[in-house]
Amino acid sequence: MENNRQTDELYKAAIAVMDHAYTPYSLHPVASAIRADNGAVYTGVNVEVAHYKGLCAEASAMAAMITGGQYKIADVAVIGPSEHLCTPCGDCRQRIREFADEDTIIHVMDKSGVVLKRYTMDELLPDSFGPENLK
């Protein structure tokens, strides 16, 4: 069962960094916040570059989490620039899967921070391939 205070903190963290996204080409800013299993929150935004191989917000937040010495995602919040769902791309779904488990929840918010949908990892990436498949 998720802790509402922790979930609200996660949402606020994603909202707080949304304006930091660097999106001069797509004009599609995205922000993400990850709560690691130790409770620490890590944020990230998408960063575009001229050769179009930018960094997604979720990957940016995961990099911050790993840099912080954490390797297990409890929850992920993603906020997009409109009133529509802005779910993680396929690459980010697989990246999240690497550090998630069946209890990980992905919260997708609209531009004003309203949660539009919540996914379990299996709902977001059914029949996925993960680290245990390599054992």
Side-chain angles (χ1 to χ4, degrees):
M1 186 70 183
E2 67 186 53
N3 178 313
N4 287 335
R5 185 185 59 74
Q6 286 182 324
T7 304
D8 287 346
E9 176 186 2
L10 188 71
Y11 298 163
K12 288 176 184 174
I15 293 165
V17 298
M18 181 69 162
D19 290 339
H20 297 223
Y22 179 75
T23 60
Y25 308 106
S26 73
L27 305 176
H28 188 83
V30 179
S32 181
I34 290 176
R35 184 169 52 86
D37 67 342
N38 72 346
V41 173
Y42 301 90
T43 58
V45 296
N46 56 331
V47 179
E48 297 176 350
V49 293
H51 76 323
Y52 298 116
K53 292 185 180 183
L55 184 62
C56 294
E58 301 90 332
S60 179
M62 279 182 268
M65 179 188 78
I66 293 163
T67 300
Q70 297 302 307
Y71 300 92
K72 178 119 184 329
I73 297 173
D75 292 283
V76 179
V78 180
I79 183 169
S82 74
E83 65 278 354
H84 303 289
L85 282 173
C86 182
T87 59
C89 71
D91 188 48
C92 285
R93 291 173 192 219
Q94 187 64 49
R95 289 175 189 271
I96 293 166
R97 169 64 172 84
E98 183 74 16
F99 304 101
D101 64 23
E102 64 277 354
D103 296 324
T104 300
I105 301 295
I106 298 87
H107 312 261
V108 180
M109 300 182 288
D110 71 6
K111 67 181 179 182
S112 37
V114 174
V115 177
L116 299 175
K117 196 161 183 182
R118 290 179 181 86
Y119 300 87
T120 64
M121 191 67 245
D122 194 48
E123 290 169 333
L124 191 65
L125 190 63
D127 302 319
S128 65
F129 184 89
E132 68 280 355
N133 295 105
L134 298 174
K135 292 181 181 173

